[in-house]
Amino acid sequence: ATSMLASTVLVARIERVAERLGMPEALLGMTAALAADLPEITSAAFAIAAGHPVVGLGVALGSNVFNLAALLGFTALMVGRIRLHRRVVELEGAIALVFAGACLAATDGIPAPPILGLVLVVFVPYLVVSALGPAERARLALPDRWRRWLVAAVAEEEAELAAAIRPEPGNAIDALLALAAAAVVVVASL
């Protein structure tokens, strides 16, 4: 219960601090998701560090499958329909497929370094593009058709997130509360 409460505080305060910093919505959404997943991340990491890699992998994979089912499936059942832009689904789906493939490769005994390399080759550019403003994205050194598609996909993603995530700008107190909540989540996971 303490971990869940701390996680709630962490996500709310991180969103406010990110808003104060002027993060684009896509990066703000990713930051909030990372904060929300901190209990699962730390639980998996501590299990692996304690010599229980199967438990760690189970936490990582199981929590993600549950989160997808609960967040998308349950929400769709509650509201009857979820509208998403096609490009957003294509972009996020392609990244998710790479990550899912990496997870499957990890369960087949493929060494971690090449898997991590593949994940980073996909995730780092996505993170960079998400952190850029619209003007910077429009100047990316990509073929024109790809650049237009990517700019549109991230803009649509930000439009979807802007409706869902629009917190008040945070302050130093929010940052301190986020750090304290993160510490509580990590200790609870340990």
Side-chain angles (χ1 to χ4, degrees), residues 12-21 167-175:
R13 299 307 170 158
I14 285 286
E15 286 176 347
R16 291 182 66 170
V17 170
E19 178 67 19
R20 170 67 68 187
L21 296 174
E168 295 178 24
N171 54 33
I173 300 287
D174 290 307

PDB file of all heavy atoms in Angstrom, residues 12-21 167-175:
ATOM      1  N   ALA A  12       2.536  11.922 -10.152  1.00  0.00           N
ATOM      2  CA  ALA A  12       1.933  13.258 -10.174  1.00  0.00           C
ATOM      3  C   ALA A  12       2.989  14.346 -10.073  1.00  0.00           C
ATOM      4  O   ALA A  12       2.939  15.355 -10.797  1.00  0.00           O
ATOM      5  CB  ALA A  12       0.925  13.384  -9.035  1.00  0.00           C
ATOM      6  N   ARG A  13       3.948  14.164  -9.191  1.00  0.00           N
ATOM      7  CA  ARG A  13       4.989  15.192  -8.999  1.00  0.00           C
ATOM      8  C   ARG A  13       5.962  15.233 -10.167  1.00  0.00           C
ATOM      9  O   ARG A  13       6.405  16.315 -10.566  1.00  0.00           O
ATOM     10  CB  ARG A  13       5.727  14.965  -7.677  1.00  0.00           C
ATOM     11  CG  ARG A  13       4.828  15.039  -6.464  1.00  0.00           C
ATOM     12  CD  ARG A  13       4.033  16.328  -6.438  1.00  0.00           C
ATOM     13  NE  ARG A  13       3.022  16.255  -5.400  1.00  0.00           N
ATOM     14  CZ  ARG A  13       2.452  17.306  -4.841  1.00  0.00           C
ATOM     15  NH1 ARG A  13       2.775  18.525  -5.233  1.00  0.00           N
ATOM     16  NH2 ARG A  13       1.534  17.155  -3.910  1.00  0.00           N
ATOM     17  N   ILE A  14       6.299  14.074 -10.726  1.00  0.00           N
ATOM     18  CA  ILE A  14       7.176  14.045 -11.906  1.00  0.00           C
ATOM     19  C   ILE A  14       6.512  14.778 -13.068  1.00  0.00           C
ATOM     20  O   ILE A  14       7.158  15.534 -13.795  1.00  0.00           O
ATOM     21  CB  ILE A  14       7.514  12.579 -12.299  1.00  0.00           C
ATOM     22  CG1 ILE A  14       8.527  11.985 -11.342  1.00  0.00           C
ATOM     23  CG2 ILE A  14       8.010  12.484 -13.726  1.00  0.00           C
ATOM     24  CD1 ILE A  14       9.942  12.496 -11.520  1.00  0.00           C
ATOM     25  N   GLU A  15       5.220  14.561 -13.258  1.00  0.00           N
ATOM     26  CA  GLU A  15       4.505  15.245 -14.333  1.00  0.00           C
ATOM     27  C   GLU A  15       4.570  16.754 -14.145  1.00  0.00           C
ATOM     28  O   GLU A  15       4.768  17.503 -15.101  1.00  0.00           O
ATOM     29  CB  GLU A  15       3.048  14.792 -14.389  1.00  0.00           C
ATOM     30  CG  GLU A  15       2.858  13.407 -14.948  1.00  0.00           C
ATOM     31  CD  GLU A  15       1.420  12.945 -14.909  1.00  0.00           C
ATOM     32  OE1 GLU A  15       0.577  13.582 -14.222  1.00  0.00           O
ATOM     33  OE2 GLU A  15       1.112  11.937 -15.558  1.00  0.00           O
ATOM     34  N   ARG A  16       4.411  17.222 -12.920  1.00  0.00           N
ATOM     35  CA  ARG A  16       4.443  18.666 -12.651  1.00  0.00           C
ATOM     36  C   ARG A  16       5.835  19.244 -12.896  1.00  0.00           C
ATOM     37  O   ARG A  16       5.975  20.316 -13.484  1.00  0.00           O
ATOM     38  CB  ARG A  16       3.982  18.948 -11.224  1.00  0.00           C
ATOM     39  CG  ARG A  16       2.486  18.670 -11.046  1.00  0.00           C
ATOM     40  CD  ARG A  16       2.017  18.997  -9.677  1.00  0.00           C
ATOM     41  NE  ARG A  16       2.119  20.431  -9.482  1.00  0.00           N
ATOM     42  CZ  ARG A  16       1.609  21.065  -8.435  1.00  0.00           C
ATOM     43  NH1 ARG A  16       0.970  20.391  -7.495  1.00  0.00           N
ATOM     44  NH2 ARG A  16       1.747  22.362  -8.320  1.00  0.00           N
ATOM     45  N   VAL A  17       6.868  18.530 -12.446  1.00  0.00           N
ATOM     46  CA  VAL A  17       8.238  19.002 -12.667  1.00  0.00           C
ATOM     47  C   VAL A  17       8.544  19.022 -14.165  1.00  0.00           C
ATOM     48  O   VAL A  17       9.134  19.979 -14.679  1.00  0.00           O
ATOM     49  CB  VAL A  17       9.253  18.122 -11.895  1.00  0.00           C
ATOM     50  CG1 VAL A  17      10.679  18.440 -12.306  1.00  0.00           C
ATOM     51  CG2 VAL A  17       9.070  18.295 -10.385  1.00  0.00           C
ATOM     52  N   ALA A  18       8.143  17.971 -14.879  1.00  0.00           N
ATOM     53  CA  ALA A  18       8.378  17.915 -16.325  1.00  0.00           C
ATOM     54  C   ALA A  18       7.650  19.055 -17.039  1.00  0.00           C
ATOM     55  O   ALA A  18       8.191  19.649 -17.982  1.00  0.00           O
ATOM     56  CB  ALA A  18       7.938  16.559 -16.875  1.00  0.00           C
ATOM     57  N   GLU A  19       6.460  19.376 -16.580  1.00  0.00           N
ATOM     58  CA  GLU A  19       5.715  20.498 -17.164  1.00  0.00           C
ATOM     59  C   GLU A  19       6.458  21.809 -16.922  1.00  0.00           C
ATOM     60  O   GLU A  19       6.565  22.642 -17.814  1.00  0.00           O
ATOM     61  CB  GLU A  19       4.304  20.567 -16.560  1.00  0.00           C
ATOM     62  CG  GLU A  19       3.469  21.718 -17.064  1.00  0.00           C
ATOM     63  CD  GLU A  19       3.083  21.615 -18.528  1.00  0.00           C
ATOM     64  OE1 GLU A  19       3.132  20.508 -19.101  1.00  0.00           O
ATOM     65  OE2 GLU A  19       2.730  22.652 -19.117  1.00  0.00           O
ATOM     66  N   ARG A  20       7.001  21.987 -15.736  1.00  0.00           N
ATOM     67  CA  ARG A  20       7.775  23.195 -15.418  1.00  0.00           C
ATOM     68  C   ARG A  20       8.997  23.310 -16.331  1.00  0.00           C
ATOM     69  O   ARG A  20       9.373  24.386 -16.745  1.00  0.00           O
ATOM     70  CB  ARG A  20       8.210  23.170 -13.953  1.00  0.00           C
ATOM     71  CG  ARG A  20       9.208  24.240 -13.551  1.00  0.00           C
ATOM     72  CD  ARG A  20       8.674  25.634 -13.599  1.00  0.00           C
ATOM     73  NE  ARG A  20       7.681  25.801 -12.562  1.00  0.00           N
ATOM     74  CZ  ARG A  20       6.925  26.878 -12.425  1.00  0.00           C
ATOM     75  NH1 ARG A  20       7.064  27.889 -13.245  1.00  0.00           N
ATOM     76  NH2 ARG A  20       6.028  26.949 -11.482  1.00  0.00           N
ATOM     77  N   LEU A  21       9.615  22.165 -16.639  1.00  0.00           N
ATOM     78  CA  LEU A  21      10.795  22.150 -17.500  1.00  0.00           C
ATOM     79  C   LEU A  21      10.450  22.332 -18.975  1.00  0.00           C
ATOM     80  O   LEU A  21      11.335  22.435 -19.810  1.00  0.00           O
ATOM     81  CB  LEU A  21      11.579  20.847 -17.299  1.00  0.00           C
ATOM     82  CG  LEU A  21      12.174  20.639 -15.906  1.00  0.00           C
ATOM     83  CD1 LEU A  21      12.788  19.257 -15.789  1.00  0.00           C
ATOM     84  CD2 LEU A  21      13.198  21.724 -15.583  1.00  0.00           C
ATOM     85  N   PRO A 167      -0.616  18.832 -16.443  1.00  0.00           N
ATOM     86  CA  PRO A 167      -0.549  19.208 -15.039  1.00  0.00           C
ATOM     87  C   PRO A 167      -0.150  20.671 -14.858  1.00  0.00           C
ATOM     88  O   PRO A 167       0.315  21.321 -15.795  1.00  0.00           O
ATOM     89  CB  PRO A 167       0.551  18.292 -14.489  1.00  0.00           C
ATOM     90  CG  PRO A 167       1.441  18.074 -15.660  1.00  0.00           C
ATOM     91  CD  PRO A 167       0.526  18.048 -16.864  1.00  0.00           C
ATOM     92  N   GLU A 168      -0.325  21.158 -13.642  1.00  0.00           N
ATOM     93  CA  GLU A 168       0.186  22.486 -13.307  1.00  0.00           C
ATOM     94  C   GLU A 168       1.707  22.407 -13.281  1.00  0.00           C
ATOM     95  O   GLU A 168       2.262  21.368 -12.936  1.00  0.00           O
ATOM     96  CB  GLU A 168      -0.282  22.890 -11.912  1.00  0.00           C
ATOM     97  CG  GLU A 168      -1.758  23.081 -11.762  1.00  0.00           C
ATOM     98  CD  GLU A 168      -2.117  23.443 -10.329  1.00  0.00           C
ATOM     99  OE1 GLU A 168      -1.244  23.973  -9.599  1.00  0.00           O
ATOM    100  OE2 GLU A 168      -3.255  23.193  -9.953  1.00  0.00           O
ATOM    101  N   PRO A 169       2.377  23.499 -13.636  1.00  0.00           N
ATOM    102  CA  PRO A 169       3.845  23.481 -13.533  1.00  0.00           C
ATOM    103  C   PRO A 169       4.276  23.272 -12.082  1.00  0.00           C
ATOM    104  O   PRO A 169       3.686  23.825 -11.159  1.00  0.00           O
ATOM    105  CB  PRO A 169       4.257  24.865 -14.043  1.00  0.00           C
ATOM    106  CG  PRO A 169       3.114  25.329 -14.880  1.00  0.00           C
ATOM    107  CD  PRO A 169       1.887  24.727 -14.253  1.00  0.00           C
ATOM    108  N   GLY A 170       5.276  22.439 -11.896  1.00  0.00           N
ATOM    109  CA  GLY A 170       5.753  22.123 -10.561  1.00  0.00           C
ATOM    110  C   GLY A 170       6.777  23.111 -10.054  1.00  0.00           C
ATOM    111  O   GLY A 170       7.122  24.091 -10.709  1.00  0.00           O
ATOM    112  N   ASN A 171       7.282  22.825  -8.857  1.00  0.00           N
ATOM    113  CA  ASN A 171       8.298  23.667  -8.235  1.00  0.00           C
ATOM    114  C   ASN A 171       9.293  22.766  -7.496  1.00  0.00           C
ATOM    115  O   ASN A 171       9.251  21.544  -7.636  1.00  0.00           O
ATOM    116  CB  ASN A 171       7.638  24.683  -7.285  1.00  0.00           C
ATOM    117  CG  ASN A 171       6.743  24.023  -6.260  1.00  0.00           C
ATOM    118  OD1 ASN A 171       7.010  22.907  -5.810  1.00  0.00           O
ATOM    119  ND2 ASN A 171       5.661  24.697  -5.892  1.00  0.00           N
ATOM    120  N   ALA A 172      10.146  23.376  -6.696  1.00  0.00           N
ATOM    121  CA  ALA A 172      11.178  22.612  -5.985  1.00  0.00           C
ATOM    122  C   ALA A 172      10.557  21.618  -5.007  1.00  0.00           C
ATOM    123  O   ALA A 172      11.083  20.515  -4.820  1.00  0.00           O
ATOM    124  CB  ALA A 172      12.122  23.559  -5.255  1.00  0.00           C
ATOM    125  N   ILE A 173       9.451  21.960  -4.405  1.00  0.00           N
ATOM    126  CA  ILE A 173       8.768  21.042  -3.477  1.00  0.00           C
ATOM    127  C   ILE A 173       8.325  19.791  -4.218  1.00  0.00           C
ATOM    128  O   ILE A 173       8.469  18.672  -3.718  1.00  0.00           O
ATOM    129  CB  ILE A 173       7.545  21.729  -2.800  1.00  0.00           C
ATOM    130  CG1 ILE A 173       7.992  22.949  -2.005  1.00  0.00           C
ATOM    131  CG2 ILE A 173       6.752  20.749  -1.967  1.00  0.00           C
ATOM    132  CD1 ILE A 173       8.718  22.640  -0.734  1.00  0.00           C
ATOM    133  N   ASP A 174       7.791  19.975  -5.428  1.00  0.00           N
ATOM    134  CA  ASP A 174       7.377  18.817  -6.237  1.00  0.00           C
ATOM    135  C   ASP A 174       8.571  17.920  -6.546  1.00  0.00           C
ATOM    136  O   ASP A 174       8.460  16.699  -6.492  1.00  0.00           O
ATOM    137  CB  ASP A 174       6.713  19.277  -7.542  1.00  0.00           C
ATOM    138  CG  ASP A 174       5.367  19.915  -7.299  1.00  0.00           C
ATOM    139  OD1 ASP A 174       4.523  19.285  -6.638  1.00  0.00           O
ATOM    140  OD2 ASP A 174       5.157  21.045  -7.774  1.00  0.00           O
ATOM    141  N   ALA A 175       9.708  18.525  -6.865  1.00  0.00           N
ATOM    142  CA  ALA A 175      10.910  17.738  -7.156  1.00  0.00           C
ATOM    143  C   ALA A 175      11.357  16.955  -5.927  1.00  0.00           C
ATOM    144  O   ALA A 175      11.695  15.771  -6.021  1.00  0.00           O
ATOM    145  CB  ALA A 175      12.031  18.653  -7.644  1.00  0.00           C
TER     146      ALA A 175
END
